[in-house]
Amino acid sequence: MRACRGKHHPSHPVQRKAFTLIELLVVIAIIALLISILLPSLGAARRTAWTVICQSNMKQISLATQLYLDDQKDPQMPNMRAGPNPNFLWYVGIVDAFNEYMGNAGNKPYDCPAAKGLSSVRNPENVQYLQEAQRVYTLPLFSDDEITTYTEYYFNDSEIRRETSSMFESGISSRKLRLIRRPDWVVWATDALDEFPRHQSLANTGEQRRGQNNVLFLDGRVKLMSYDEYYLSPDPYGAAPPFYNWGHAYPRNRG
């Protein structure tokens, strides 16, 4: 009899072996390990992206500032006390003052994705704290209504101080641009609030004075600086800290 050629087909298919409980736990453990390795990197990438977006907004503000100054015959810096109440510091006034130079973008250029917790001027605790201290970053003023206008950036509010025996005339708010001694070192804007750095901090809650803030100089430079750098250090020409003195508040024998 001729032998039957071809493959042998068993009467019952071979069943595949299922994962055991131990194998399943090993897979879960490996996935958890990979997630724990990747999450810090993803978090760092997200914080870096926030910083870049914030710097881009500051570049827009710098361009709008230049356009605002170019429209004047004898350029004068914006007055941070030009609101309805001169005793208040109206940082939020920049939003309306620069609106046409910003393409009527409203609040968007003044937002910052890293502004969270106490590092955001829109935090309910901060709204009350700032307005009671006569520092206006949000509108409406002294109201529980929804915030309609805001800036997550501080603008230099240093008042003009006349020349004395020990100090040259200084100040930025409403000052003629030609009278500023070193515009390239004037800090025009920073992340608000400067006392609660919001960038490159793991928590981004602003509860501790650590981390960094973006700093916008009047010449258009944007630099990421630590709290110690912008709050405790002088500028290269001898203007004493904090940062809002840089570029203009010089002793008579310096600068």
Side-chain angles (χ1 to χ4, degrees), residues 46-62 109-115 119 137 151-156 186-201 204 210-218 220-231 243-244 246:
R46 180 176 60 178
R47 290 190 296 274
T48 299
W50 288 347
T51 299
V52 172
I53 292 171
C54 180
Q55 291 174 340
S56 176
N57 287 347
M58 282 190 163
K59 286 289 187 181
Q60 293 182 61
I61 292 171
S62 175
Y110 302 91
D111 202 355
C112 176
S119 66
Y137 287 88
T151 171
E152 289 287 359
Y153 301 110
Y154 157 93
F155 295 92
N156 199 320
V186 166
V187 172
W188 169 222
T190 68
D191 289 297
L193 303 163
D194 55 85
E195 60 262 48
F196 301 128
R198 65 170 59 139
H199 289 287
Q200 307 303 318
S201 175
N204 279 298
R210 62 181 183 182
Q212 298 169 294
N213 268 349
N214 281 319
V215 175
L216 171 63
F217 292 89
L218 195 53
R221 287 179 295 134
V222 177
K223 186 176 180 181
L224 189 64
M225 304 182 76
S226 70
Y227 177 86
D228 287 351
E229 285 180 295
Y230 67 76
Y231 216 88
F243 60 93
Y244 46 74
W246 294 355

Side-chain angles (χ1 to χ4, degrees), residues 115-129:
K116 299 180 183 299
L118 290 179
S119 66
S120 171
V121 300
R122 289 172 287 169
N123 178 287
E125 294 180 39
N126 272 345
V127 171
Q128 182 177 0
Y129 155 68

Side-chain angles (χ1 to χ4, degrees), residues 11-31:
S11 57
H12 297 288
V14 177
Q15 294 184 351
R16 296 185 63 184
K17 184 180 179 182
F19 281 111
T20 64
L21 178 60
I22 293 178
E23 290 172 330
L24 187 59
L25 291 174
V26 169
V27 170
I28 292 173
I30 292 173
I31 293 174

Side-chain angles (χ1 to χ4, degrees), residues 6 19 23 26 36 42 76 103-104 125 129 150 161 164 189 198 209 235 242 249 254:
F19 281 111
E23 290 172 330
V26 169
S36 67
L42 294 174
Q76 178 176 316
N104 299 309
E125 294 180 39
Y129 155 68
Y150 64 88
R161 300 190 181 278
T164 67
R198 65 170 59 139
R209 292 178 180 179
D235 80 2
R254 299 287 296 275

Side-chain angles (χ1 to χ4, degrees), residues 93-115:
I94 293 293
V95 179
D96 287 336
F98 286 2
N99 196 32
E100 62 178 300
Y101 303 109
M102 289 282 204
N104 299 309
N107 298 311
K108 187 175 181 181
Y110 302 91
D111 202 355
C112 176

